[in-house]
Amino acid sequence: RDKWDRLSKVYTETKVPHFRVGYLRAEPEALSTNDGWAQMGIVNFKEMHKAMFVQHYNLFFVDDRSLAAGTDTLDDYRVIILGQAHVQDGLQDRLLAWVKNGGTLMMGGGAGAYNKFGRYSGKILKETLGLTEVEYDPKKAAGIGVIRSAGREIDLKKQAKYFWYSKGKALKAGVKVLGTYTDGSPALLSASYGKGRVYTSLFPFGWNEEVTAVFMDWLKEVIPLPEATCDEPLVEPVLRQDKEGNRYLCIINVNWDKAVQPLFVLDGKYTNLVDLGLGSGIPVATKVRQGMTTFTRNLDPGEGTILWLGKRQETSQPDGKAKAAWVGYFAVEKKVVGCRKEGMALEVEIKVLAAMKADIENKKYAEAALKGQTIRRSIEQKSARAGADALLVLAKGLTGKI
């Protein structure tokens, strides 16, 4: 009973402290028309949540009625995702003011193209990017439905029913065109607006894996690293904080059939961690590396626990992008160390790991990421060969007995 009371208070007397990512759902009023068009402007929330979940970005649902009632506020969010075509002018004005004050707005499809009467508005698109008219037209996808961006081509023809495009090509000064349709019209754009920034994909997020990957790249430009992350995609870490500034980490292994030992990484320095889920509390061994706190926990399928972290201590260590690169390094390093303990020969991989570390120290983050991928692929291939060899030996042994 005491344990239950102690753990339940973590949820009832704390809240998520770090800058949040919110998906804004604007409820269309009765005067709205063309509800089908409105639906086409909505991002695929399920797929967006899935993409963010496995990379440990917490996504929150924001309702415009909560904003109007004062029970929620845009100031609680670092990033807002907007994907609806019908958005009231008043809400568009509030979003513009929020961006101007430092927020980041990411829009998909014809976000805000129409007002509550179903008439063209496009206030945010025009004010921030200079897009005077965007249009929903699936038939256009057959002719121009390929996005060309950063050397890659994203074919949207199979998702033509979600297709939006800009009828005009004139943009405001300073707008960056990050991708175009095959006719040269803008498809992916970004621009500064006041102290904040706007990113727009005229094709809605979530309906195409490559467009969703573009969104994740944009998100990482704004928030390079979640405050709590780990190297297991199906383990969820969530930070919470009480009124005194003490923090807790709630973790759960979502795998229903797999035990894991994740390496957790917390941005900042924490000392004297305690696992509250074991007895009256068990101390947790930690390391502080590159301005981040790391530790491991063993989690059975479906198992979760809560850790007391105490107050976060700031560090003068690398910036967000550098820390994100180091998190990748820690995960690959853990993989290499674990496989070596199992007897796998990894002389080449160890040399590549050292080169990966040097790349991060020299701020060559893209090169470091590629080396990390190379190491992972090499280990996977060696593991597969070892498994095949073991089966072959087993088969020969059984054949001999027969």
Side-chain angles (χ1 to χ4, degrees), residues 6 28 42 45 63 75 109 116 124-125 160 198 212 215 275 288 302 340-341 346 355 364-365 385 400:
R6 183 172 70 251
I42 296 176
F45 182 82
D63 192 280
D75 293 338
K116 67 179 181 180
I124 296 177
L125 294 168
V198 170
T212 302
F215 162 80
D275 189 334
V288 177
R340 284 192 73 194
K341 287 182 178 179
L346 297 174
K364 297 178 179 179
Y365 306 134
R385 286 197 296 270

PDB file of all heavy atoms in Angstrom, residues 6 28 42 45 63 75 109 116 124-125 160 198 212 215 275 288 302 340-341 346 355 364-365 385 400:
ATOM      1  N   ARG A   6       3.187   5.894  -2.878  1.00  0.00           N
ATOM      2  CA  ARG A   6       4.401   6.624  -3.256  1.00  0.00           C
ATOM      3  C   ARG A   6       4.494   6.783  -4.774  1.00  0.00           C
ATOM      4  O   ARG A   6       4.785   7.862  -5.286  1.00  0.00           O
ATOM      5  CB  ARG A   6       5.626   5.888  -2.710  1.00  0.00           C
ATOM      6  CG  ARG A   6       6.949   6.605  -2.994  1.00  0.00           C
ATOM      7  CD  ARG A   6       8.112   5.933  -2.276  1.00  0.00           C
ATOM      8  NE  ARG A   6       8.444   4.641  -2.843  1.00  0.00           N
ATOM      9  CZ  ARG A   6       8.215   3.472  -2.248  1.00  0.00           C
ATOM     10  NH1 ARG A   6       7.661   3.445  -1.046  1.00  0.00           N
ATOM     11  NH2 ARG A   6       8.546   2.332  -2.826  1.00  0.00           N
ATOM     12  N   PRO A  28     -13.653  22.247 -36.430  1.00  0.00           N
ATOM     13  CA  PRO A  28     -14.379  23.086 -37.370  1.00  0.00           C
ATOM     14  C   PRO A  28     -15.772  23.412 -36.848  1.00  0.00           C
ATOM     15  O   PRO A  28     -16.438  22.566 -36.251  1.00  0.00           O
ATOM     16  CB  PRO A  28     -14.452  22.238 -38.646  1.00  0.00           C
ATOM     17  CG  PRO A  28     -14.294  20.848 -38.180  1.00  0.00           C
ATOM     18  CD  PRO A  28     -13.431  20.894 -36.954  1.00  0.00           C
ATOM     19  N   ILE A  42      -5.743  16.991 -42.732  1.00  0.00           N
ATOM     20  CA  ILE A  42      -5.343  16.491 -41.422  1.00  0.00           C
ATOM     21  C   ILE A  42      -4.172  15.523 -41.566  1.00  0.00           C
ATOM     22  O   ILE A  42      -4.185  14.646 -42.411  1.00  0.00           O
ATOM     23  CB  ILE A  42      -6.519  15.785 -40.728  1.00  0.00           C
ATOM     24  CG1 ILE A  42      -7.645  16.790 -40.462  1.00  0.00           C
ATOM     25  CG2 ILE A  42      -6.078  15.136 -39.426  1.00  0.00           C
ATOM     26  CD1 ILE A  42      -8.875  16.169 -39.864  1.00  0.00           C
ATOM     27  N   PHE A  45      -2.237  11.243 -37.688  1.00  0.00           N
ATOM     28  CA  PHE A  45      -1.756  11.351 -36.315  1.00  0.00           C
ATOM     29  C   PHE A  45      -1.129  10.044 -35.835  1.00  0.00           C
ATOM     30  O   PHE A  45      -0.097  10.046 -35.162  1.00  0.00           O
ATOM     31  CB  PHE A  45      -2.906  11.750 -35.391  1.00  0.00           C
ATOM     32  CG  PHE A  45      -2.505  11.945 -33.959  1.00  0.00           C
ATOM     33  CD1 PHE A  45      -1.934  13.131 -33.541  1.00  0.00           C
ATOM     34  CD2 PHE A  45      -2.686  10.936 -33.027  1.00  0.00           C
ATOM     35  CE1 PHE A  45      -1.551  13.309 -32.213  1.00  0.00           C
ATOM     36  CE2 PHE A  45      -2.308  11.104 -31.705  1.00  0.00           C
ATOM     37  CZ  PHE A  45      -1.750  12.300 -31.303  1.00  0.00           C
ATOM     38  N   ASP A  63      -6.105  20.721 -28.089  1.00  0.00           N
ATOM     39  CA  ASP A  63      -7.435  21.043 -28.620  1.00  0.00           C
ATOM     40  C   ASP A  63      -7.646  22.557 -28.578  1.00  0.00           C
ATOM     41  O   ASP A  63      -7.360  23.192 -27.563  1.00  0.00           O
ATOM     42  CB  ASP A  63      -8.506  20.335 -27.789  1.00  0.00           C
ATOM     43  CG  ASP A  63      -9.865  20.395 -28.453  1.00  0.00           C
ATOM     44  OD1 ASP A  63     -10.521  21.450 -28.332  1.00  0.00           O
ATOM     45  OD2 ASP A  63     -10.268  19.416 -29.097  1.00  0.00           O
ATOM     46  N   ASP A  75       2.102  28.529 -24.973  1.00  0.00           N
ATOM     47  CA  ASP A  75       3.406  28.785 -24.352  1.00  0.00           C
ATOM     48  C   ASP A  75       4.019  27.531 -23.739  1.00  0.00           C
ATOM     49  O   ASP A  75       5.218  27.507 -23.444  1.00  0.00           O
ATOM     50  CB  ASP A  75       3.271  29.866 -23.273  1.00  0.00           C
ATOM     51  CG  ASP A  75       2.928  31.227 -23.865  1.00  0.00           C
ATOM     52  OD1 ASP A  75       3.206  31.430 -25.061  1.00  0.00           O
ATOM     53  OD2 ASP A  75       2.386  32.072 -23.137  1.00  0.00           O
ATOM     54  N   GLY A 109       0.052  19.746 -45.562  1.00  0.00           N
ATOM     55  CA  GLY A 109      -1.125  19.898 -46.404  1.00  0.00           C
ATOM     56  C   GLY A 109      -1.532  21.359 -46.512  1.00  0.00           C
ATOM     57  O   GLY A 109      -0.719  22.264 -46.353  1.00  0.00           O
ATOM     58  N   LYS A 116     -13.683  29.456 -41.244  1.00  0.00           N
ATOM     59  CA  LYS A 116     -14.820  28.665 -40.774  1.00  0.00           C
ATOM     60  C   LYS A 116     -15.975  28.643 -41.766  1.00  0.00           C
ATOM     61  O   LYS A 116     -16.869  27.793 -41.685  1.00  0.00           O
ATOM     62  CB  LYS A 116     -15.297  29.178 -39.418  1.00  0.00           C
ATOM     63  CG  LYS A 116     -15.919  30.573 -39.446  1.00  0.00           C
ATOM     64  CD  LYS A 116     -16.383  30.961 -38.064  1.00  0.00           C
ATOM     65  CE  LYS A 116     -17.034  32.349 -38.059  1.00  0.00           C
ATOM     66  NZ  LYS A 116     -17.490  32.711 -36.718  1.00  0.00           N
ATOM     67  N   ILE A 124      -1.824  32.225 -42.422  1.00  0.00           N
ATOM     68  CA  ILE A 124      -0.489  31.860 -41.958  1.00  0.00           C
ATOM     69  C   ILE A 124       0.437  31.618 -43.138  1.00  0.00           C
ATOM     70  O   ILE A 124       1.585  32.082 -43.157  1.00  0.00           O
ATOM     71  CB  ILE A 124      -0.546  30.608 -41.056  1.00  0.00           C
ATOM     72  CG1 ILE A 124      -1.332  30.896 -39.783  1.00  0.00           C
ATOM     73  CG2 ILE A 124       0.869  30.147 -40.690  1.00  0.00           C
ATOM     74  CD1 ILE A 124      -1.488  29.700 -38.871  1.00  0.00           C
ATOM     75  N   LEU A 125      -0.036  30.888 -44.141  1.00  0.00           N
ATOM     76  CA  LEU A 125       0.779  30.586 -45.314  1.00  0.00           C
ATOM     77  C   LEU A 125       1.216  31.861 -46.031  1.00  0.00           C
ATOM     78  O   LEU A 125       2.358  31.991 -46.472  1.00  0.00           O
ATOM     79  CB  LEU A 125       0.000  29.687 -46.281  1.00  0.00           C
ATOM     80  CG  LEU A 125      -0.330  28.278 -45.764  1.00  0.00           C
ATOM     81  CD1 LEU A 125      -1.347  27.599 -46.672  1.00  0.00           C
ATOM     82  CD2 LEU A 125       0.937  27.445 -45.669  1.00  0.00           C
ATOM     83  N   ALA A 160      -2.334  10.109 -53.972  1.00  0.00           N
ATOM     84  CA  ALA A 160      -2.801  11.299 -54.688  1.00  0.00           C
ATOM     85  C   ALA A 160      -3.974  11.997 -54.008  1.00  0.00           C
ATOM     86  O   ALA A 160      -4.132  13.212 -54.121  1.00  0.00           O
ATOM     87  CB  ALA A 160      -3.182  10.921 -56.126  1.00  0.00           C
ATOM     88  N   VAL A 198       8.820  28.706 -39.226  1.00  0.00           N
ATOM     89  CA  VAL A 198       7.729  27.947 -39.825  1.00  0.00           C
ATOM     90  C   VAL A 198       8.310  26.949 -40.822  1.00  0.00           C
ATOM     91  O   VAL A 198       9.191  27.299 -41.617  1.00  0.00           O
ATOM     92  CB  VAL A 198       6.731  28.877 -40.540  1.00  0.00           C
ATOM     93  CG1 VAL A 198       5.730  28.072 -41.361  1.00  0.00           C
ATOM     94  CG2 VAL A 198       6.004  29.745 -39.534  1.00  0.00           C
ATOM     95  N   THR A 212       7.229  11.858 -43.917  1.00  0.00           N
ATOM     96  CA  THR A 212       7.303  11.803 -42.453  1.00  0.00           C
ATOM     97  C   THR A 212       8.756  11.892 -41.986  1.00  0.00           C
ATOM     98  O   THR A 212       9.060  12.526 -40.969  1.00  0.00           O
ATOM     99  CB  THR A 212       6.660  10.510 -41.935  1.00  0.00           C
ATOM    100  OG1 THR A 212       5.294  10.453 -42.375  1.00  0.00           O
ATOM    101  CG2 THR A 212       6.687  10.450 -40.411  1.00  0.00           C
ATOM    102  N   PHE A 215       9.774  15.426 -41.974  1.00  0.00           N
ATOM    103  CA  PHE A 215       9.272  16.076 -40.756  1.00  0.00           C
ATOM    104  C   PHE A 215      10.188  15.788 -39.570  1.00  0.00           C
ATOM    105  O   PHE A 215      10.514  16.689 -38.782  1.00  0.00           O
ATOM    106  CB  PHE A 215       7.855  15.604 -40.442  1.00  0.00           C
ATOM    107  CG  PHE A 215       7.446  15.866 -39.019  1.00  0.00           C
ATOM    108  CD1 PHE A 215       7.020  17.125 -38.629  1.00  0.00           C
ATOM    109  CD2 PHE A 215       7.522  14.866 -38.060  1.00  0.00           C
ATOM    110  CE1 PHE A 215       6.673  17.383 -37.309  1.00  0.00           C
ATOM    111  CE2 PHE A 215       7.168  15.105 -36.741  1.00  0.00           C
ATOM    112  CZ  PHE A 215       6.747  16.375 -36.372  1.00  0.00           C
ATOM    113  N   ASP A 275      15.701   3.695  -7.941  1.00  0.00           N
ATOM    114  CA  ASP A 275      14.597   2.976  -8.581  1.00  0.00           C
ATOM    115  C   ASP A 275      13.511   2.751  -7.536  1.00  0.00           C
ATOM    116  O   ASP A 275      13.662   1.941  -6.624  1.00  0.00           O
ATOM    117  CB  ASP A 275      15.096   1.639  -9.143  1.00  0.00           C
ATOM    118  CG  ASP A 275      14.061   0.948 -10.014  1.00  0.00           C
ATOM    119  OD1 ASP A 275      12.867   1.197  -9.815  1.00  0.00           O
ATOM    120  OD2 ASP A 275      14.467   0.164 -10.901  1.00  0.00           O
ATOM    121  N   VAL A 288      28.334  10.065 -15.933  1.00  0.00           N
ATOM    122  CA  VAL A 288      28.098  11.349 -16.592  1.00  0.00           C
ATOM    123  C   VAL A 288      29.111  11.475 -17.722  1.00  0.00           C
ATOM    124  O   VAL A 288      30.328  11.481 -17.488  1.00  0.00           O
ATOM    125  CB  VAL A 288      28.222  12.533 -15.609  1.00  0.00           C
ATOM    126  CG1 VAL A 288      28.045  13.855 -16.363  1.00  0.00           C
ATOM    127  CG2 VAL A 288      27.189  12.411 -14.499  1.00  0.00           C
ATOM    128  N   GLY A 302       6.743  -5.945 -20.961  1.00  0.00           N
ATOM    129  CA  GLY A 302       5.654  -5.224 -20.314  1.00  0.00           C
ATOM    130  C   GLY A 302       5.996  -4.582 -18.991  1.00  0.00           C
ATOM    131  O   GLY A 302       5.149  -3.938 -18.365  1.00  0.00           O
ATOM    132  N   ARG A 340      31.438  -8.247 -28.254  1.00  0.00           N
ATOM    133  CA  ARG A 340      32.792  -8.729 -27.948  1.00  0.00           C
ATOM    134  C   ARG A 340      32.759  -9.677 -26.763  1.00  0.00           C
ATOM    135  O   ARG A 340      33.480 -10.689 -26.733  1.00  0.00           O
ATOM    136  CB  ARG A 340      33.723  -7.556 -27.638  1.00  0.00           C
ATOM    137  CG  ARG A 340      34.169  -6.769 -28.857  1.00  0.00           C
ATOM    138  CD  ARG A 340      35.308  -5.836 -28.501  1.00  0.00           C
ATOM    139  NE  ARG A 340      36.553  -6.575 -28.290  1.00  0.00           N
ATOM    140  CZ  ARG A 340      37.638  -6.049 -27.715  1.00  0.00           C
ATOM    141  NH1 ARG A 340      37.614  -4.803 -27.265  1.00  0.00           N
ATOM    142  NH2 ARG A 340      38.729  -6.762 -27.569  1.00  0.00           N
ATOM    143  N   LYS A 341      31.933  -9.385 -25.775  1.00  0.00           N
ATOM    144  CA  LYS A 341      31.817 -10.269 -24.607  1.00  0.00           C
ATOM    145  C   LYS A 341      31.279 -11.636 -25.005  1.00  0.00           C
ATOM    146  O   LYS A 341      31.555 -12.639 -24.346  1.00  0.00           O
ATOM    147  CB  LYS A 341      30.908  -9.624 -23.560  1.00  0.00           C
ATOM    148  CG  LYS A 341      31.540  -8.445 -22.838  1.00  0.00           C
ATOM    149  CD  LYS A 341      30.602  -7.881 -21.780  1.00  0.00           C
ATOM    150  CE  LYS A 341      31.253  -6.728 -21.025  1.00  0.00           C
ATOM    151  NZ  LYS A 341      30.333  -6.156 -20.011  1.00  0.00           N
ATOM    152  N   LEU A 346      35.636  -8.343 -33.663  1.00  0.00           N
ATOM    153  CA  LEU A 346      35.189  -7.033 -34.145  1.00  0.00           C
ATOM    154  C   LEU A 346      36.351  -6.042 -34.278  1.00  0.00           C
ATOM    155  O   LEU A 346      36.190  -4.847 -33.985  1.00  0.00           O
ATOM    156  CB  LEU A 346      34.129  -6.462 -33.190  1.00  0.00           C
ATOM    157  CG  LEU A 346      32.817  -7.245 -33.064  1.00  0.00           C
ATOM    158  CD1 LEU A 346      31.949  -6.634 -31.983  1.00  0.00           C
ATOM    159  CD2 LEU A 346      32.075  -7.275 -34.384  1.00  0.00           C
ATOM    160  N   ALA A 355      36.986   5.977 -35.214  1.00  0.00           N
ATOM    161  CA  ALA A 355      36.860   7.024 -36.231  1.00  0.00           C
ATOM    162  C   ALA A 355      35.550   7.787 -36.051  1.00  0.00           C
ATOM    163  O   ALA A 355      35.490   9.007 -36.280  1.00  0.00           O
ATOM    164  CB  ALA A 355      36.927   6.406 -37.624  1.00  0.00           C
ATOM    165  N   LYS A 364      31.768  16.515 -37.213  1.00  0.00           N
ATOM    166  CA  LYS A 364      31.349  15.908 -38.478  1.00  0.00           C
ATOM    167  C   LYS A 364      30.245  14.892 -38.168  1.00  0.00           C
ATOM    168  O   LYS A 364      30.427  13.681 -38.248  1.00  0.00           O
ATOM    169  CB  LYS A 364      32.538  15.229 -39.163  1.00  0.00           C
ATOM    170  CG  LYS A 364      33.661  16.183 -39.547  1.00  0.00           C
ATOM    171  CD  LYS A 364      34.829  15.427 -40.189  1.00  0.00           C
ATOM    172  CE  LYS A 364      35.948  16.361 -40.588  1.00  0.00           C
ATOM    173  NZ  LYS A 364      37.101  15.630 -41.197  1.00  0.00           N
ATOM    174  N   TYR A 365      29.079  15.428 -37.816  1.00  0.00           N
ATOM    175  CA  TYR A 365      28.019  14.582 -37.293  1.00  0.00           C
ATOM    176  C   TYR A 365      27.428  13.637 -38.339  1.00  0.00           C
ATOM    177  O   TYR A 365      27.084  12.495 -38.021  1.00  0.00           O
ATOM    178  CB  TYR A 365      26.930  15.448 -36.675  1.00  0.00           C
ATOM    179  CG  TYR A 365      27.463  16.405 -35.625  1.00  0.00           C
ATOM    180  CD1 TYR A 365      27.080  17.747 -35.609  1.00  0.00           C
ATOM    181  CD2 TYR A 365      28.361  15.971 -34.647  1.00  0.00           C
ATOM    182  CE1 TYR A 365      27.580  18.624 -34.658  1.00  0.00           C
ATOM    183  CE2 TYR A 365      28.861  16.829 -33.692  1.00  0.00           C
ATOM    184  CZ  TYR A 365      28.471  18.168 -33.704  1.00  0.00           C
ATOM    185  OH  TYR A 365      28.955  19.039 -32.775  1.00  0.00           O
ATOM    186  N   ARG A 385      25.470 -14.697 -40.015  1.00  0.00           N
ATOM    187  CA  ARG A 385      26.361 -15.775 -40.465  1.00  0.00           C
ATOM    188  C   ARG A 385      26.639 -16.766 -39.344  1.00  0.00           C
ATOM    189  O   ARG A 385      26.673 -17.984 -39.551  1.00  0.00           O
ATOM    190  CB  ARG A 385      27.674 -15.195 -40.989  1.00  0.00           C
ATOM    191  CG  ARG A 385      27.552 -14.534 -42.358  1.00  0.00           C
ATOM    192  CD  ARG A 385      28.925 -14.358 -42.989  1.00  0.00           C
ATOM    193  NE  ARG A 385      29.771 -13.455 -42.228  1.00  0.00           N
ATOM    194  CZ  ARG A 385      29.836 -12.146 -42.427  1.00  0.00           C
ATOM    195  NH1 ARG A 385      29.079 -11.584 -43.371  1.00  0.00           N
ATOM    196  NH2 ARG A 385      30.627 -11.388 -41.708  1.00  0.00           N
ATOM    197  N   GLY A 400      24.460 -37.177 -38.666  1.00  0.00           N
ATOM    198  CA  GLY A 400      25.361 -38.233 -38.228  1.00  0.00           C
ATOM    199  C   GLY A 400      24.685 -39.220 -37.303  1.00  0.00           C
ATOM    200  O   GLY A 400      24.911 -40.436 -37.371  1.00  0.00           O
TER     201      GLY A 400
END
